[in-house]
Amino acid sequence: MVQTTCPYCGVGCGITAEVNQHTVTIKGDKTHPANFGRLCSKGAALADTLDLNDRLLYPELHHQRVSWETALTKVANEFKRIIREHGANAIAFYVSGQLLTEDYYVANKLMKGFLGTANIDTNSRLCMASSVAGHKRAFGSDTVSGCYEDLELADLVVLVGSNLAWCHPVLYQRLAAAKEQRPRLKIVVIDPRYTATSDIADLHLPIRSGTDVWLFNGLLNFLRTHDHLDYEFLEAHTHGAGAALKSARESAATIPQIAQLCGLTEMDVAEFYRLFAKTDKTVTVYSQGVNQSSAGTDKVNSIINCHLATGRIGKPGATPFSVTGQPNAMGGREVGALANQLVAHLDFKPEHLALVQQFWQSPVIAQQPGLKAVELYDAIVAGQIKAIWIMATNPVVSLPHADKVKQALGMCELVVVSDCVRYTDTTEFAHVLLPALAWGEKEGTVTNSERRISRQRAFLPVPGDAKPDWWIITEVARRLGFAETAFAYQSSADIFREYAALSGEQNKGTRDFDISGLANLSDADYQRLSPVQWPLKSPTEVGTTRLFSDYQFFTADNKAHLIAIMPRAPVHLPNRDYPFILNTGRTRDQWHTMTRTGKSARLLSHTSESYVEIHPQDAGLLRIQVGDLVTVSSELGQVVVRVKISDHQQPGNVFIPMHWNGQNSSQARVGALIPPVTDPISGQPEFKHTPVKVERYQPAWYGFLLSSTELDAPSNQETSAQPFSKITLHEVADYWVKVREVAGWRYELAGQRRIDWSLWVRQQLGTEDWLEFQDRAQGRYRCANIVNEQLNICLFIGAEARLTSRKPLMSLFGKTLDPVERLRLLTGEPNSAPAASGEVICACHAVGRETILAAIRQHGLVNYQQIGETLKAGTGCGSCIPELKALLIEAKGREVA
Ligand SMILES: Nc1nc2c(c(=O)[nH]1)N[C@H]1C(S)=C(S)[C@@H](COP(=O)(O)OP(=O)(O)OC[C@H]3O[C@@H](n4cnc5c(=O)[nH]c(N)nc54)[C@H](O)[C@@H]3O)O[C@H]1N2
Ligand SMILES: Nc1nc2c(c(=O)[nH]1)N[C@H]1C(S)=C(S)[C@@H](COP(=O)(O)OP(=O)(O)OC[C@H]3O[C@@H](n4cnc5c(=O)[nH]c(N)nc54)[C@H](O)[C@@H]3O)O[C@H]1N2
Ligand code: SF4
Ligand SMILES: [Mo]
C-alpha cells in the first residue's frame, strides 16, 4: 500500500493505493489531516483513469515518434537559435498548478535564472491571480492564513463565488458534518446561481453577477454605522482604514441601495449584514466567483477589509480564506511561477533579485516581470514570442478567446507540449511532444489550500518512455549549456532540498514562506515525509496551523492594509444583441478539460454532454425545451449545446460548463466565447460574465450511435476499431458528442444534411451485415450490427430530440443476445427493461434519478440517510447528498401537485 495525494482539487486529500496484479484499489487515507479517509466521486474513480489508452508514451517530432535525444536536442537547439536571433524574451513557458512543486521550481529556475526572462506564466493566472494580488495588497505577502479546521470552528461561514459542494467536496463534507453537529454554525452562500452548495445554506444571496464589491463595501459601511468595528485592532495593526471606510460609504450607503444594485432583497442583505456583524467567529471562503472577474482583486480586498475591520484574522474560526483550485496551485505560488513573482515569495526588487541570483549562482536573472497568460498568447500573434513550451495545461480549451490561442499556436515557430495524454486540443498544435509521467507514476510534493505540503508517491511502473517533468526540463537545461551543477539533480528529493534551503535564505521571519526546516531531509526522510503545513523553519518544528496570530504582517510597516475600493461594473454588459450573461464553471464529476475524468464511464454517467442551464421563463420565451439543442454565441464565437432548464439560474443568466472540448464534442469549447477581458491588477480573465445570445438550433435529424469499440479512434493508435475517422464524423454530423460508456462508446449526433443512412453505414462502418428499419416519411432510420451473437454497433436516427432511451440498448453490449432481445432490438426497447432509472445521481453505486424518486414515493423516505439504507445512494463518497436532498424536496413537491 502506498500513501499519496489526490491529483485533482486543492483540498489535497490523502489517498492509499494498492496494486494487486491488474487492479488498483484507491481509498481515502484515514491518517491524512485534509480528508481523514473521505474522498469525493472524482477521487474515488481514480482507478478508472489509470489505463494506458490515450497516453502519450513516446517523444514525437512533427507527430512522428523520435528518441528523447532527438526531441530534447531539437528543443534546445531551437531555443538557442531563437535567443540568438530575437533575444530570450522571444521564448515563453506556460506551466500549470498540476505540476509538482519540484517540476515547477526547475521550470521557473531555468527561465528566470538561466534564460533570463520572466516570460513564464501559469494557468494559475486563470485561477488564483486575483487572490494573490489581493493578499499582497492587504498583507504584503501572498498568505492564506487559515486552515480547514477554521471552517469547523466558525459560527458563520460565508461562501462567496464558491461551489464548494462540487469543487472542494471533501472540505464541503467537513463543513456539512460540522453544521450537523452544531446547528448554531450558520452558512451564507453568495452566488448568482442556486448551487448544490446552497443546499446547506441558512441564507443564499443570489447576487447579481459581478456586484460583490458593492455588497462587501456595503457590509463595511454597515459595520461602521452599527458600531461593530474593532477600533483597537484597526489602530494597532492596520493601515488605511479611514480611506477604505470612506469609499465604502461613498459607493453605496444604504441597504435599499445595495439591495437594488446587487439584485437582492433588502431583507436578505440586512440578514447577512446582521449575521456577519454579530458573529466573531466568521470565515469567508472565496473562489472563482470572486477571482475570475475584471474586478477580482478588488473583490478580494473588499472581503479582506471586512475581516480586518473586525479583527477577524489569525484566530481559530475567524479568517478570510481563499481556497485553491488545482492540486498544486499553492505550490506554484510558492515557487514563483507567476510571471510577476520570484521564487519563494520573493519579488522583483533589487535585493531579492540579488539574493536569488546569488543562491542559484546563475549567469543572469530576469529583471522585470514577464507577460501574463493572456498577453503571452497575444505576443505570439504579434510575432514577439517565437517559441512556447506548454506543460500540464490545455490552453486551447481553458484560456479565454480560445480561438486566438489556436491561431497563436498555429503560427508560432516552435510549440513544445509536455503532457501525459496524446490527443488534446493543445497537443494537436505541438511540433515537439514530450511524454510526462502521470499521477501514480511520478514522485514529488504538492501544497493544498491550507498550506499543507503532501507527498505524491509512485505506485505504478513507468510506462513507455515517459519521464518526470523535472527530468525533461533539466535535460533541456543541460543541452542549453547551463552549468552541470545548476541542474544536476538526480531525484525530486534533490530539488526539494535546494528549494527548501532557498526559502530560508536571508529570511529570518521577513517572509512568510519558509520551509528551511525541510532543507536537510535525507532521501529516506523525503520518502517518508508526512503532510505538514508551512512555515516550518527548523527541523524540530511541526509546522504552522495558522498565520498572523501575532498580527505581524509582511508589509513595510508590519500592518495589514485596508484598501479603498470603488466598485465598478463588469467590462461587457448584456445588450440588445447579446442579452444574456454567460457564467461558466464546473460540474460535479469532471475535471477541467476531461483528459482524465473523461475516461471514466462512471463519472460521465452524471453528466455526459455539455449543456446550457437556463431559467424556465427564458426557455419559455425562446420556445426551447429540455434536451433541445441551442446555439449560444458571443461576439467571438459559438457553441452548440443541450438545454437544461432550471430555476436555479436567474432569468437573464445562463451557465455552461468549462469541460467539453474538441476531442469529445463538435462545438462545446466555451472558452471560444469568452472575451480576453482581464482584471487590471491581477491579469485574471473574466470567465463568469460574457454577454451572449441563445438561439434554438434546429437540425434536420437527431441520432445516436452506440458501439462496442471507439469508432473514431485516432488512426495511429493501437486499436481494433473500424476505419472510421473523426473527419467522417464531422462530415456527417454538425453536432456530435463522444461519451465513454462502461461497455463501449456512445456518440450523440445531429445534423442538417439529409443522409442516405443505409449507404452511409455500409461505406463507413465497413460491414454488410445490418439489421435495418427505415421509415422515410417519418425520417426514421435504425440499424444494428451483431457479431458473434453480441451487439457490436447500433444507430438510431429520427426527427425528434429524445429518440429513445439509450440505456436499455447500452446494457446489451458485452452479453449474448437472446432471440427476444434480437427481435426487439430496433424497437429501442429490447428487453422488458426495468423502468428507466434516469440520469445517474450517485456515481459510486450507479443509482439514477427516477429510481431514487420512485423509492422516495414507494417507501415514504424522508431523509438522505434513508435513501442510503434503501438504495445505497449517497453512501459512497457522499458527493451526491445535496442532490439527494433536492430530490426529497422535488418528490414532496410532486406529491402536493
Ligand atoms: N468537480 C470539479 N472540481 C474542481 C475542479 C473541476 O474542474 N471540477 N477544478 C478545481 C479548480 S482548478 C478550481 S479553480 C476550483 C473552482 O471552484 P469554484 O470557484 O467553486 O467553481 P466555479 O464553478 O468555477 O465557480 C464558483 C461559483 O462562482 C459563481 N459566480 C459566478 N459569478 C459570480 C459573481 O459575480 N459573484 C459571486 N459571488 N459568484 C459568482 C458561479 O455561479 C459558481 O457557482 O474547483 C476545483 N475543483
Ligand atoms: N470558461 C472557463 N474557463 C476556465 C475556467 C472557468 O471557470 N471557465 N477556469 C480556469 C481555471 S480556474 C483553471 S485552473 C484552468 C484549468 O485548465 P487546464 O489547466 O487547461 O485544464 P486541465 O484539463 O487540467 O489541463 C491539464 C493538462 O495537463 C495534463 N497533465 C496531467 N498531469 C500531468 C503531468 O503530470 N505532467 C504533464 N506534463 N501534464 C499533465 C492533462 O492531460 C491536461 O492535458 O481553466 C481555466 N479556464
Ligand atoms: S475533494 Fe475530491 S478531488 Fe478534491 S482532493 Fe479530495 S478526493 Fe480529490
Ligand atoms: Mo483553477
Side-chain angles (χ1 to χ4, degrees), residues 565-602:
I565 295 163
M566 283 314 279
R568 57 181 192 277
V571 172
H572 294 309
L573 295 174
N575 51 60
R576 233 186 45 210
D577 295 334
Y578 299 100
F580 290 95
I581 298 169
L582 168 67
N583 176 6
T584 62
R586 288 141 178 91
T587 61
R588 194 188 78 188
D589 289 352
Q590 290 305 327
W591 178 259
H592 295 164
T593 71
M594 302 174 74
T595 61
R596 289 168 288 163
T597 45
K599 292 175 78 164
S600 166
R602 178 152 54 128

Short mmCIF file of all heavy atoms in Angstrom, two decimals, residues 565-602:
data_model
loop_
_atom_site.label_atom_id
_atom_site.label_comp_id
_atom_site.label_asym_id
_atom_site.label_seq_id
_atom_site.Cartn_x
_atom_site.Cartn_y
_atom_site.Cartn_z
N ILE A 565 -11.71 51.01 -2.02
CA ILE A 565 -12.15 50.44 -3.30
C ILE A 565 -13.44 51.11 -3.76
O ILE A 565 -14.39 51.24 -2.99
CB ILE A 565 -12.43 48.93 -3.13
CG1 ILE A 565 -11.12 48.22 -2.80
CG2 ILE A 565 -13.03 48.34 -4.39
CD1 ILE A 565 -11.34 46.86 -2.23
N MET A 566 -13.47 51.50 -5.01
CA MET A 566 -14.73 51.95 -5.60
C MET A 566 -15.22 50.84 -6.53
O MET A 566 -14.48 50.39 -7.40
CB MET A 566 -14.53 53.26 -6.38
CG MET A 566 -14.41 54.49 -5.49
SD MET A 566 -15.65 54.58 -4.17
CE MET A 566 -17.04 55.23 -5.07
N PRO A 567 -16.46 50.41 -6.33
CA PRO A 567 -16.97 49.31 -7.17
C PRO A 567 -17.09 49.75 -8.63
O PRO A 567 -17.26 50.93 -8.92
CB PRO A 567 -18.36 49.05 -6.60
CG PRO A 567 -18.49 49.87 -5.38
CD PRO A 567 -17.45 50.92 -5.39
N ARG A 568 -16.97 48.79 -9.52
CA ARG A 568 -17.23 49.08 -10.94
C ARG A 568 -17.88 47.86 -11.59
O ARG A 568 -17.66 46.72 -11.15
CB ARG A 568 -15.96 49.49 -11.68
CG ARG A 568 -14.85 48.47 -11.60
CD ARG A 568 -13.60 48.92 -12.34
NE ARG A 568 -12.70 47.79 -12.48
CZ ARG A 568 -11.86 47.38 -11.56
NH1 ARG A 568 -11.79 48.01 -10.39
NH2 ARG A 568 -11.09 46.32 -11.76
N ALA A 569 -18.64 48.13 -12.61
CA ALA A 569 -19.39 47.05 -13.28
C ALA A 569 -18.45 46.22 -14.14
O ALA A 569 -17.38 46.68 -14.53
CB ALA A 569 -20.48 47.66 -14.14
N PRO A 570 -18.84 44.99 -14.45
CA PRO A 570 -18.04 44.18 -15.40
C PRO A 570 -17.87 44.92 -16.72
O PRO A 570 -18.66 45.83 -17.05
CB PRO A 570 -18.90 42.93 -15.59
CG PRO A 570 -19.73 42.83 -14.36
CD PRO A 570 -20.00 44.25 -13.95
N VAL A 571 -16.83 44.56 -17.48
CA VAL A 571 -16.47 45.34 -18.66
C VAL A 571 -17.54 45.26 -19.76
O VAL A 571 -17.93 46.26 -20.33
CB VAL A 571 -15.08 44.89 -19.18
CG1 VAL A 571 -14.77 45.56 -20.51
CG2 VAL A 571 -14.02 45.23 -18.15
N HIS A 572 -18.00 44.05 -20.06
CA HIS A 572 -19.02 43.92 -21.11
C HIS A 572 -20.36 43.61 -20.47
O HIS A 572 -20.50 42.60 -19.79
CB HIS A 572 -18.67 42.79 -22.08
CG HIS A 572 -17.43 43.06 -22.87
ND1 HIS A 572 -17.23 44.24 -23.57
CD2 HIS A 572 -16.32 42.32 -23.09
CE1 HIS A 572 -16.06 44.20 -24.17
NE2 HIS A 572 -15.48 43.05 -23.89
N LEU A 573 -21.35 44.44 -20.73
CA LEU A 573 -22.67 44.20 -20.14
C LEU A 573 -23.61 43.64 -21.20
O LEU A 573 -23.42 43.87 -22.40
CB LEU A 573 -23.22 45.51 -19.58
CG LEU A 573 -22.39 46.07 -18.42
CD1 LEU A 573 -22.91 47.44 -18.00
CD2 LEU A 573 -22.40 45.11 -17.23
N PRO A 574 -24.62 42.89 -20.76
CA PRO A 574 -25.58 42.37 -21.73
C PRO A 574 -26.23 43.53 -22.51
O PRO A 574 -26.37 44.63 -21.97
CB PRO A 574 -26.61 41.63 -20.88
CG PRO A 574 -26.24 41.85 -19.46
CD PRO A 574 -24.92 42.51 -19.39
N ASN A 575 -26.59 43.29 -23.73
CA ASN A 575 -27.14 44.36 -24.56
C ASN A 575 -28.18 43.77 -25.50
O ASN A 575 -28.50 42.59 -25.39
CB ASN A 575 -26.01 45.03 -25.35
CG ASN A 575 -25.16 43.99 -26.08
OD1 ASN A 575 -25.66 43.24 -26.91
ND2 ASN A 575 -23.88 43.89 -25.73
N ARG A 576 -28.68 44.57 -26.42
CA ARG A 576 -29.77 44.10 -27.27
C ARG A 576 -29.38 42.86 -28.09
O ARG A 576 -30.13 41.91 -28.23
CB ARG A 576 -30.22 45.22 -28.20
CG ARG A 576 -31.72 45.45 -28.10
CD ARG A 576 -32.23 46.44 -29.09
NE ARG A 576 -31.69 46.22 -30.42
CZ ARG A 576 -31.49 47.19 -31.32
NH1 ARG A 576 -31.81 48.42 -31.02
NH2 ARG A 576 -31.01 46.92 -32.50
N ASP A 577 -28.15 42.88 -28.60
CA ASP A 577 -27.72 41.76 -29.43
C ASP A 577 -27.35 40.53 -28.60
O ASP A 577 -27.54 39.40 -29.03
CB ASP A 577 -26.51 42.16 -30.28
CG ASP A 577 -26.89 43.24 -31.28
OD1 ASP A 577 -28.09 43.29 -31.65
OD2 ASP A 577 -26.02 44.03 -31.66
N TYR A 578 -26.78 40.78 -27.45
CA TYR A 578 -26.33 39.67 -26.59
C TYR A 578 -26.94 39.85 -25.20
O TYR A 578 -26.30 40.36 -24.28
CB TYR A 578 -24.80 39.63 -26.53
CG TYR A 578 -24.19 39.41 -27.90
CD1 TYR A 578 -23.67 40.48 -28.65
CD2 TYR A 578 -24.16 38.14 -28.46
CE1 TYR A 578 -23.15 40.27 -29.92
CE2 TYR A 578 -23.63 37.92 -29.73
CZ TYR A 578 -23.13 39.00 -30.46
OH TYR A 578 -22.62 38.78 -31.71
N PRO A 579 -28.20 39.45 -25.05
CA PRO A 579 -28.95 39.85 -23.86
C PRO A 579 -28.69 39.01 -22.60
O PRO A 579 -29.08 39.41 -21.52
CB PRO A 579 -30.41 39.67 -24.30
CG PRO A 579 -30.37 38.65 -25.39
CD PRO A 579 -29.04 38.80 -26.07
N PHE A 580 -28.03 37.86 -22.73
CA PHE A 580 -27.82 37.01 -21.55
C PHE A 580 -26.40 37.17 -21.00
O PHE A 580 -25.46 37.44 -21.75
CB PHE A 580 -28.02 35.53 -21.91
CG PHE A 580 -29.44 35.17 -22.19
CD1 PHE A 580 -29.92 35.16 -23.49
CD2 PHE A 580 -30.30 34.85 -21.15
CE1 PHE A 580 -31.24 34.81 -23.76
CE2 PHE A 580 -31.62 34.50 -21.41
CZ PHE A 580 -32.10 34.50 -22.72
N ILE A 581 -26.27 36.93 -19.69
CA ILE A 581 -24.93 36.85 -19.10
C ILE A 581 -24.53 35.38 -19.03
O ILE A 581 -25.21 34.57 -18.40
CB ILE A 581 -24.91 37.43 -17.67
CG1 ILE A 581 -25.29 38.90 -17.69
CG2 ILE A 581 -23.53 37.24 -17.04
CD1 ILE A 581 -25.54 39.47 -16.30
N LEU A 582 -23.42 35.05 -19.68
CA LEU A 582 -22.91 33.68 -19.62
C LEU A 582 -21.94 33.54 -18.45
O LEU A 582 -20.96 34.25 -18.34
CB LEU A 582 -22.18 33.33 -20.93
CG LEU A 582 -21.34 32.04 -20.89
CD1 LEU A 582 -22.23 30.82 -20.74
CD2 LEU A 582 -20.47 31.93 -22.14
N ASN A 583 -22.27 32.57 -17.59
CA ASN A 583 -21.44 32.21 -16.44
C ASN A 583 -20.86 30.84 -16.77
O ASN A 583 -21.55 30.00 -17.36
CB ASN A 583 -22.40 32.17 -15.24
CG ASN A 583 -21.78 31.72 -13.93
OD1 ASN A 583 -20.57 31.52 -13.82
ND2 ASN A 583 -22.63 31.57 -12.92
N THR A 584 -19.58 30.60 -16.48
CA THR A 584 -19.01 29.28 -16.76
C THR A 584 -18.33 28.73 -15.52
O THR A 584 -17.93 29.50 -14.65
CB THR A 584 -17.96 29.34 -17.90
OG1 THR A 584 -16.88 30.18 -17.48
CG2 THR A 584 -18.55 29.87 -19.19
N GLY A 585 -18.18 27.43 -15.44
CA GLY A 585 -17.53 26.83 -14.28
C GLY A 585 -17.57 25.33 -14.37
O GLY A 585 -17.52 24.76 -15.46
N ARG A 586 -17.75 24.69 -13.20
CA ARG A 586 -17.51 23.25 -13.12
C ARG A 586 -18.76 22.42 -12.89
O ARG A 586 -19.73 22.89 -12.33
CB ARG A 586 -16.52 23.00 -11.98
CG ARG A 586 -15.17 23.46 -12.37
CD ARG A 586 -14.39 24.13 -11.26
NE ARG A 586 -13.07 24.47 -11.79
CZ ARG A 586 -12.81 25.65 -12.36
NH1 ARG A 586 -13.71 26.59 -12.41
NH2 ARG A 586 -11.62 25.88 -12.88
N THR A 587 -18.69 21.15 -13.31
CA THR A 587 -19.71 20.21 -12.90
C THR A 587 -19.11 19.26 -11.86
O THR A 587 -17.90 19.25 -11.66
CB THR A 587 -20.22 19.37 -14.09
OG1 THR A 587 -19.12 18.65 -14.61
CG2 THR A 587 -20.81 20.25 -15.18
N ARG A 588 -19.96 18.47 -11.25
CA ARG A 588 -19.54 17.69 -10.09
C ARG A 588 -18.44 16.68 -10.42
O ARG A 588 -17.46 16.56 -9.69
CB ARG A 588 -20.75 16.94 -9.52
CG ARG A 588 -20.51 16.37 -8.15
CD ARG A 588 -21.66 15.48 -7.71
NE ARG A 588 -21.59 14.17 -8.35
CZ ARG A 588 -22.54 13.26 -8.29
NH1 ARG A 588 -23.67 13.53 -7.63
NH2 ARG A 588 -22.40 12.09 -8.87
N ASP A 589 -18.59 15.96 -11.52
CA ASP A 589 -17.73 14.80 -11.74
C ASP A 589 -16.67 14.96 -12.82
O ASP A 589 -15.98 14.00 -13.15
CB ASP A 589 -18.60 13.56 -12.05
CG ASP A 589 -19.36 13.09 -10.81
OD1 ASP A 589 -19.10 13.63 -9.72
OD2 ASP A 589 -20.20 12.19 -10.95
N GLN A 590 -16.56 16.14 -13.42
CA GLN A 590 -15.50 16.31 -14.42
C GLN A 590 -14.41 17.24 -13.90
O GLN A 590 -14.66 18.14 -13.11
CB GLN A 590 -16.06 16.86 -15.74
CG GLN A 590 -16.90 15.85 -16.48
CD GLN A 590 -16.19 14.54 -16.75
OE1 GLN A 590 -14.98 14.49 -16.95
NE2 GLN A 590 -16.94 13.45 -16.72
N TRP A 591 -13.22 16.96 -14.37
CA TRP A 591 -12.06 17.79 -14.04
C TRP A 591 -11.62 18.53 -15.31
O TRP A 591 -11.21 17.92 -16.28
CB TRP A 591 -10.90 16.93 -13.50
CG TRP A 591 -9.68 17.73 -13.20
CD1 TRP A 591 -8.55 17.83 -13.97
CD2 TRP A 591 -9.47 18.57 -12.06
NE1 TRP A 591 -7.65 18.69 -13.37
CE2 TRP A 591 -8.18 19.15 -12.21
CE3 TRP A 591 -10.24 18.89 -10.93
CZ2 TRP A 591 -7.66 20.04 -11.26
CZ3 TRP A 591 -9.71 19.76 -10.00
CH2 TRP A 591 -8.43 20.33 -10.16
N HIS A 592 -11.75 19.84 -15.28
CA HIS A 592 -11.26 20.72 -16.34
C HIS A 592 -11.53 20.20 -17.74
O HIS A 592 -12.67 20.02 -18.13
CB HIS A 592 -9.76 20.98 -16.16
CG HIS A 592 -9.48 21.76 -14.91
ND1 HIS A 592 -8.26 21.86 -14.34
CD2 HIS A 592 -10.31 22.46 -14.11
CE1 HIS A 592 -8.34 22.59 -13.25
NE2 HIS A 592 -9.57 22.96 -13.10
N THR A 593 -10.46 19.93 -18.52
CA THR A 593 -10.68 19.60 -19.92
C THR A 593 -10.84 18.10 -20.16
O THR A 593 -10.70 17.62 -21.28
CB THR A 593 -9.57 20.19 -20.82
OG1 THR A 593 -8.35 19.48 -20.60
CG2 THR A 593 -9.32 21.66 -20.50
N MET A 594 -11.14 17.37 -19.09
CA MET A 594 -11.60 15.98 -19.17
C MET A 594 -10.57 14.98 -19.68
O MET A 594 -10.94 13.85 -20.02
CB MET A 594 -12.86 15.88 -20.05
CG MET A 594 -13.99 16.74 -19.57
SD MET A 594 -15.41 16.79 -20.68
CE MET A 594 -16.15 15.20 -20.42
N THR A 595 -9.30 15.35 -19.74
CA THR A 595 -8.34 14.40 -20.29
C THR A 595 -8.25 13.16 -19.39
O THR A 595 -7.88 12.09 -19.85
CB THR A 595 -6.92 15.00 -20.45
OG1 THR A 595 -6.43 15.39 -19.17
CG2 THR A 595 -6.93 16.19 -21.39
N ARG A 596 -8.58 13.30 -18.11
CA ARG A 596 -8.52 12.14 -17.22
C ARG A 596 -9.92 11.70 -16.77
O ARG A 596 -10.30 10.56 -16.98
CB ARG A 596 -7.61 12.45 -16.03
CG ARG A 596 -6.14 12.50 -16.48
CD ARG A 596 -5.24 13.08 -15.44
NE ARG A 596 -5.44 14.51 -15.31
CZ ARG A 596 -5.03 15.22 -14.27
NH1 ARG A 596 -4.46 14.62 -13.25
NH2 ARG A 596 -5.22 16.53 -14.24
N THR A 597 -10.70 12.60 -16.17
CA THR A 597 -12.04 12.19 -15.71
C THR A 597 -12.91 11.73 -16.88
O THR A 597 -13.81 10.91 -16.70
CB THR A 597 -12.75 13.32 -14.96
OG1 THR A 597 -12.57 14.54 -15.69
CG2 THR A 597 -12.18 13.50 -13.56
N GLY A 598 -12.64 12.25 -18.09
CA GLY A 598 -13.42 11.85 -19.26
C GLY A 598 -13.22 10.40 -19.65
O GLY A 598 -13.94 9.87 -20.50
N LYS A 599 -12.25 9.74 -19.02
CA LYS A 599 -12.02 8.32 -19.31
C LYS A 599 -12.91 7.41 -18.46
O LYS A 599 -12.98 6.21 -18.70
CB LYS A 599 -10.56 7.95 -19.01
CG LYS A 599 -9.58 8.58 -19.95
CD LYS A 599 -8.15 8.28 -19.52
CE LYS A 599 -7.76 6.87 -19.91
NZ LYS A 599 -6.29 6.69 -19.86
N SER A 600 -13.55 7.99 -17.45
CA SER A 600 -14.31 7.16 -16.52
C SER A 600 -15.79 7.16 -16.88
O SER A 600 -16.47 8.18 -16.78
CB SER A 600 -14.12 7.69 -15.10
OG SER A 600 -15.09 7.13 -14.24
N ALA A 601 -16.29 6.01 -17.32
CA ALA A 601 -17.71 5.91 -17.67
C ALA A 601 -18.58 6.25 -16.46
O ALA A 601 -19.62 6.89 -16.58
CB ALA A 601 -18.02 4.50 -18.16
N ARG A 602 -18.09 5.85 -15.30
CA ARG A 602 -18.83 6.12 -14.06
C ARG A 602 -18.99 7.63 -13.86
O ARG A 602 -20.07 8.11 -13.54
CB ARG A 602 -18.02 5.51 -12.92
CG ARG A 602 -18.58 5.72 -11.57
CD ARG A 602 -18.18 4.60 -10.62
NE ARG A 602 -16.75 4.35 -10.52
CZ ARG A 602 -16.10 4.30 -9.34
NH1 ARG A 602 -16.74 4.50 -8.22
NH2 ARG A 602 -14.81 4.02 -9.29
#
